Amino acid sequence: MSFFLKRFLPHILMIIGFVVLSLAYFSPVLQGKKIFQSDIMHYIGMAQQQKEFAESTGEETYWTNSAFGGMPTYQLGAKYPHNYIKKLDLTLRFLPRPADYLFLYFIGFYILLLSLKVDFKLAALGAIAFGFSTYLIIILGVGHNSKAHAIAYMPLVLAGIVLVFRKKYILGFLLTVVASGLEIVANHPQMTYYLLFLIIVLGITYLIDAYKKGVLPHYFKSVGLLALAGILAVGLNATSLMATQQYAKESTRGKSELTINPDGSEKELTSGLNKDYITEYSYGIAETFNLYIPKFMGGGNSEDVGRDSETYKAYINLGASPIDALDASKNAPMYWGDQPIVEAPAYVGAVIIFLFVLGLFLVKGRLKWWLVGGTILSLLLSYGKNLGFLTNFFIDYVPLYNKFRAVSSIQVILELCIPVLGIFALVRLFNDSKTNEEKLKALKITTIITAGLAVVFLLFKSVLFDFEGLRDDQYIEAYGRPFINAVIEDRMSLFTTDTIRTLILVLLSAGAIYLFLKKKLSENLTVVVFAVLILFDLVTVDRQYVNNDDFISAIRVDKPYQATAADKEILKDKAHFRVLDMSSQGQSQPGRAAYFHNSLFGYHAAKLGRYNDLMEFHIYNNNMNVLNMLNTKYIIAEEQGQVFPYTNTDANGNAWFVSSLKRVENANKEIKLLDSLETKNKAITTQSIAEKSKTFIVDSTASITLKEFKPNYLKYESNNSNDGFAVFSEIYYGEGWSAYVDGELMPYIRVNYVLRGMEVPKGSHIIEFKFEPEVVETGSKIALASSAVFGILLLLGIYYGFKIKREE
């Protein structure tokens, strides 16, 4: 019992402490409140139809009609059979959201540092520094839950890898499988992809070290074991990965067949996203110092500068009332960096940056070069178009790099690396690897660098920076030059205040270490001092952006949309149709219409590629031919603040027989012809048909009627005295939708760029479309087999571990 208490009690206490910290920061969850997250509000709208279907039938649909005309639900929280690794993930996230993600930040980083043989007290200190890193808190505030989820499991994956390289083969292998499986479960491919970069840097530094030490056999044995762990982790997630891979080819992340833009200009040919879109959010080079000084670049786009600000006075001078001026000053445009929108600075912390710099002098070997290499790589890549030669190289030549946007988010890697090296600075400080003189010298150099940088910024800020932002010209045009001069004054004030704040924290950190080296502070007390400094440093910044004010009643989060009079009028119609929401509310809340109706719009980072083309070429331009073929029966319009439903009596309906089908040469011609195509009578396709052009007789008796509809099932009844060709106002997706005529599987083709069409023999027939994705069935079998294999390996590992303990 004493052995158990000595070994495990400290970790149990730390876990309890992490739970308390998580709940304390997000304390409103204890009152049953939930945090308002804009992205999650959009997601709720998008996922409402599949949720209602599951509740009413007990089944999962892998297709929804509620957004973008129709799309798979693979990236909308689809639930798959035999997804046992997901059940483990749900078990670990036992706290109310978003406290659950903060807890995962803490526990994952804690385990990583333990795997690096760090004392539990310092491991807990590092976990706090990582978990409260401002960017990681901000993404919880805005609802980037899957990103936070993936980041939280990153340290756990690295812990497994480190244990394997430390020759803890069984424990490391099992942890790597579980952690990698959980990382994939988080379903944020971009974050997982960036993690691979850090793993590659780790692999290179460890390879060099193994070569120098003559232990290459151990290195390659470890790599082989880790490769097996990765394969097994992929197997545990086979269904989601296979479905996502299949969908990605058809999404905006895949290669477009178009070679032209809507304006007729030549399109940049790429198998991924275009460079401008990828690099839209590029970190400014000077913005690097946001990591060290929170409001170096003004903070976020909307900062509360208060009544005493120059901005407030400027609004008063413009004629605003004190109340209006105060309200406007709560959303002052303080950010003056290079990115279009910034919620808050990606602040890592003055204290932890100070320790990181100290670690550069105290820490030696492969660990240091791994962490420094990962930090530098992520920082350089985050510059995006501001370091074009490197970014363009990665976009053009590094596999999959062009599949992801917002390159600035790769800074999550440095946000992980910096606290690790910072904590190792304390590890080296507390042990005897360096003499006291060497430690004092390192402290002196570190203080000169970090404090000196802050002093330089204070003394020469007006020389080094102009404090002018990208959108300042718009404010000058709207309010005049005096207004933006006032804003610049406030930007300079924030810069000065936070630089002084950083300088004080640096000097306090240096002072604590100096007192320790002079034996005026004990090791434990020094750890406590740094815990207080780090908590103050980070939490005071975090609370400016994510705090109790962001929490609202649970019912308002779970049901974020209320039906308007227009919605209620449309909902009286129980037929199957689509809705185009053109109201201001619909534009600002793109998931709203999907919550109530089958919407033409929605909110998703990876729409079907062809449908996205259709939006850009035609839907955004209100091409009625295209809206009609999509069976847009209602258009929610707005005039003088009044929202009302307009009934489109020209909508083509659910399905119709056409008199001609014509094959065109390529996608360019197909999408351009939709501009004038009589979609009610004619259809076009680029797919192979027996003849280049076919005609059909459509008499007055020909009809095709929708009799039953569900998200994943459609049933029609057709009557035609002649063989005909039917067009269905449903989005084409060949990897799952199967067509049946009188119960017999029949082929169908893509027509009118995005719709389904098929030849229907004369007479009366029952036509059915069923969404039957083979990828789900196949993936589920692989997941089941992988889970069984891992279960056996886990039991064998536990048995072997107990056997070794008995022998010892």
Side-chain angles (χ1 to χ4, degrees):
M1 185 67 180
S2 60
F3 170 79
F4 173 85
L5 290 175
K6 183 178 179 181
R7 183 166 186 180
F8 295 106
L9 183 60
H11 304 310
I12 294 171
L13 292 176
M14 289 301 105
I15 292 171
I16 293 172
F18 294 149
V19 170
V20 171
L21 267 179
S22 302
L23 292 174
Y25 189 90
F26 295 114
S27 58
V29 300
L30 299 174
Q31 303 166 10
K33 294 183 178 181
K34 292 188 176 182
I35 191 168
F36 175 78
Q37 301 170 303
S38 56
D39 276 25
I40 299 305
M41 178 182 71
H42 302 320
Y43 165 78
I44 289 173
M46 293 280 290
Q48 181 66 11
Q49 186 177 90
Q50 70 198 76
K51 177 186 175 183
E52 290 177 346
F53 181 82
E55 289 174 350
S56 62
T57 66
E59 301 174 4
E60 185 74 15
T61 175
Y62 298 110
W63 183 270
T64 179
N65 290 308
S66 66
F68 300 118
M71 62 186 292
T73 63
Y74 304 147
Q75 295 297 311
L76 284 171
K79 296 178 176 62
Y80 302 111
H82 306 304
N83 195 4
Y84 302 115
I85 191 71
K86 180 64 177 179
K87 296 183 187 299
L88 175 60
D89 169 62
L90 294 172
T91 301
L92 292 173
R93 291 191 290 121
F94 60 92
L95 293 177
R97 185 176 296 174
D100 57 346
Y101 292 124
L102 183 54
F103 173 76
L104 288 183
Y105 289 161
F106 291 147
I107 194 67
F109 202 84
Y110 180 73
I111 292 172
L112 170 59
L113 289 178
L114 291 179
S115 74
L116 290 165
K117 298 190 287 187
V118 174
D119 175 75
F120 76 92
K121 297 186 292 295
L122 290 178
L125 184 66
I128 291 169
F130 176 71
F132 283 123
S133 183
T134 302
Y135 180 78
L136 302 192
I137 297 296
I138 292 304
I139 59 177
L140 295 177
V142 298
H144 295 173
N145 289 355
S146 61
K147 179 184 286 187
H149 199 174
I151 293 169
Y153 285 132
M154 284 181 178
L156 208 58
V157 175
L158 296 171
I161 294 171
V162 167
L163 286 171
V164 170
F165 279 116
R166 281 183 51 206
K167 298 185 179 181
K168 305 284 186 180
Y169 295 120
I170 295 176
L171 178 60
F173 172 80
L174 293 174
L175 180 57
T176 303
V177 173
V178 172
S180 300
L182 291 169
E183 173 68 28
I184 297 169
V185 159
N187 196 27
H188 201 292
Q190 185 171 5
M191 293 299 103
T192 304
Y193 180 72
Y194 291 158
L195 173 62
L196 289 176
F197 280 21
L198 184 57
I199 292 172
I200 290 171
V201 175
L202 181 152
I204 292 171
T205 54
Y206 274 50
L207 174 61
I208 294 170
D209 185 72
Y211 175 75
K212 289 180 178 179
K213 294 177 179 176
V215 291
L216 285 175
H218 158 65
Y219 175 84
F220 288 112
K221 177 182 177 181
S222 299
V223 170
L225 199 61
L226 291 170
L228 288 175
I231 292 170
L232 195 52
V234 167
L236 294 174
N237 289 277
T239 315
S240 62
L241 288 174
M242 291 170 66
T244 298
Q245 182 187 37
Q246 184 187 80
Y247 176 68
K249 297 174 183 177
E250 305 297 327
S251 76
T252 51
R253 306 302 170 100
K255 186 176 182 179
S256 174
E257 294 182 47
L258 294 178
T259 61
I260 57 171
N261 291 308
D263 61 3
S265 61
E266 187 175 343
K267 186 175 185 177
E268 179 185 349
L269 295 179
T270 174
S271 59
L273 304 172
N274 69 63
K275 288 182 181 179
D276 289 339
Y277 189 59
I278 292 171
T279 60
E280 181 182 10
Y281 287 86
S282 294
Y283 211 65
I285 293 176
E287 206 167 350
T288 303
F289 297 105
N290 263 349
L291 303 170
Y292 180 52
I293 300 170
K295 291 183 180 175
F296 184 89
M297 284 283 175
N301 284 90
S302 298
E303 290 283 340
D304 185 353
V305 292
R307 189 185 299 273
D308 297 328
S309 66
E310 296 300 317
T311 302
Y312 172 83
K313 296 173 185 176
Y315 279 120
I316 292 292
N317 292 335
L318 288 169
S321 68
I323 293 176
D324 291 340
L326 187 59
D327 286 341
S329 298
K330 291 179 180 179
N331 295 286
M334 289 295 103
Y335 175 71
W336 51 281
D338 292 343
Q339 300 180 78
I341 300 173
V342 170
E343 291 288 336
Y347 181 58
V348 173
V351 176
I352 207 69
I353 290 285
F354 171 83
L355 292 175
F356 173 80
V357 176
L358 182 64
L360 295 177
F361 300 103
L362 292 182
V363 181
K364 304 295 181 184
R366 64 186 184 184
L367 176 72
K368 170 184 172 180
W369 296 116
W370 164 47
L371 297 170
V372 171
T375 298
I376 293 174
L377 178 65
S378 65
L379 184 61
L380 294 179
L381 288 175
S382 74
Y383 292 148
K385 60 188 176 187
N386 298 313
L387 198 65
F389 74 92
L390 181 65
T391 299
N392 291 337
F393 174 83
F394 270 73
I395 291 173
D396 293 336
Y397 299 108
V398 176
L400 303 179
Y401 195 79
N402 63 355
K403 304 293 184 183
F404 307 110
R405 65 186 290 259
V407 292
S408 60
S409 62
I410 198 173
Q411 285 195 357
V412 297
I413 298 304
L414 67 83
E415 285 155 4
L416 188 157
C417 292
I418 288 174
V420 176
L421 188 57
I423 292 302
F424 263 88
L426 292 177
V427 171
R428 296 292 181 262
L429 187 74
F430 294 152
N431 66 24
D432 299 325
S433 61
K434 300 282 184 181
T435 65
N436 230 38
E437 289 72 20
E438 288 175 320
K439 293 173 184 177
L440 281 168
K441 182 181 178 180
L443 175 63
K444 179 180 178 181
I445 296 172
T446 299
T447 305
I448 290 172
I449 292 172
T450 53
L453 186 63
V455 170
V456 167
F457 286 146
L458 284 173
L459 295 177
F460 301 104
K461 58 179 179 287
S462 299
V463 177
L464 295 172
F465 311 109
D466 59 17
F467 296 92
E468 293 186 356
L470 293 176
R471 293 191 176 89
D472 284 1
D473 288 344
Q474 299 174 22
Y475 288 104
I476 292 172
E477 185 177 345
Y479 302 118
R481 184 72 209 186
F483 174 81
I484 209 64
N485 289 339
V487 168
I488 288 174
E489 285 295 319
D490 286 334
R491 289 170 179 168
M492 293 177 69
S493 177
L494 291 176
F495 179 97
T496 302
T497 301
D498 275 17
T499 303
I500 292 172
R501 176 187 186 275
T502 287
L503 179 60
I504 292 171
L505 287 168
V506 163
L507 294 177
L508 288 173
S509 300
I513 293 175
Y514 181 80
L515 290 175
F516 168 76
L517 292 175
K518 293 299 181 179
K519 304 190 184 306
K520 302 294 184 181
L521 281 181
S522 67
E523 179 179 322
N524 287 338
L525 190 55
T526 304
V527 172
V528 171
V529 168
F530 273 100
V532 172
L533 287 174
I534 288 171
L535 280 169
F536 171 82
D537 184 13
L538 293 173
V539 173
T540 54
V541 175
D542 295 342
R543 297 294 286 183
Q544 294 177 41
Y545 301 99
V546 181
N547 51 55
N548 293 0
D549 294 340
D550 297 307
F551 286 80
I552 57 178
S553 64
I555 188 68
R556 288 177 60 194
V557 173
D558 296 335
K559 296 182 178 180
Y561 305 105
Q562 300 300 316
T564 63
D567 294 320
K568 293 175 181 177
E569 186 65 27
I570 295 171
L571 289 170
K572 292 177 183 178
D573 190 335
K574 302 303 180 182
H576 184 57
F577 51 84
R578 292 191 180 88
V579 174
L580 174 62
D581 191 347
M582 299 293 291
S583 69
S584 58
Q585 190 177 27
Q587 300 302 304
S588 63
Q589 299 177 359
R592 188 185 182 286
Y595 187 83
F596 297 107
H597 317 292
N598 292 330
S599 175
L600 292 186
F601 293 151
Y603 184 84
H604 203 276
K607 302 175 281 291
L608 279 170
R610 278 184 166 257
Y611 189 83
N612 189 64
D613 295 337
L614 193 74
M615 289 198 300
E616 292 179 347
F617 275 78
H618 298 293
I619 296 176
Y620 290 152
N621 296 323
N622 297 325
N623 183 334
M624 291 308 299
N625 284 328
V626 170
L627 295 180
N628 290 338
M629 80 175 191
L630 292 170
N631 193 25
T632 309
K633 189 174 181 180
Y634 295 98
I635 299 173
I636 300 178
E638 183 175 355
E639 287 185 4
Q640 298 179 343
Q642 296 296 313
V643 178
F644 61 93
Y646 166 77
T647 304
N648 177 25
T649 56
D650 295 325
N652 290 7
N654 301 116
W656 58 95
F657 285 108
V658 294
S659 58
S660 74
L661 172 65
K662 182 180 179 181
R663 180 165 59 87
V664 295
E665 295 176 9
N666 53 50
N668 290 349
K669 289 189 176 181
E670 185 179 18
I671 200 164
K672 288 173 69 176
L673 282 172
L674 289 178
D675 193 48
S676 56
L677 184 72
E678 298 177 39
T679 57
K680 187 69 174 176
N681 300 311
K682 299 177 181 179
I684 53 177
T685 184
T686 55
Q687 295 190 322
S688 298
I689 54 177
E691 303 170 30
K692 186 173 182 179
S693 181
K694 299 180 72 172
T695 58
F696 302 89
I697 299 173
V698 183
D699 59 31
S700 59
T701 63
S703 66
I704 181 165
T705 307
L706 181 65
K707 293 295 184 181
E708 184 179 348
F709 56 91
K710 301 175 185 176
N712 57 1
Y713 177 77
L714 297 155
K715 181 180 179 181
Y716 304 84
E717 186 178 287
S718 72
N719 288 283
N720 198 342
S721 55
N722 303 285
D723 292 338
F725 188 87
V727 175
F728 302 85
S729 64
E730 302 297 329
I731 303 301
Y732 178 91
Y733 188 75
E735 302 287 356
W737 279 106
S738 301
Y740 298 85
V741 176
D742 298 331
E744 183 179 348
L745 185 65
M746 295 290 286
Y748 67 100
I749 63 172
R750 183 181 58 237
V751 298
N752 296 359
Y753 202 75
V754 296
L755 299 185
R756 307 171 200 168
M758 67 183 298
E759 293 193 40
V760 180
K762 63 183 178 181
S764 298
H765 301 282
I766 297 297
I767 302 170
E768 297 170 291
F769 278 95
K770 301 177 183 179
F771 194 60
E772 305 168 319
E774 292 183 8
V775 69
V776 173
E777 183 178 355
T778 303
S780 298
K781 291 177 180 177
I782 296 173
L784 177 61
S786 300
S787 299
V789 170
F790 177 72
I792 293 169
L793 291 175
L794 178 62
L795 292 174
L796 290 173
I798 293 172
Y799 170 76
Y800 182 77
F802 277 115
K803 181 181 177 183
I804 294 298
K805 289 296 179 186
R806 284 199 303 270
E807 291 175 355
E808 290 176 349

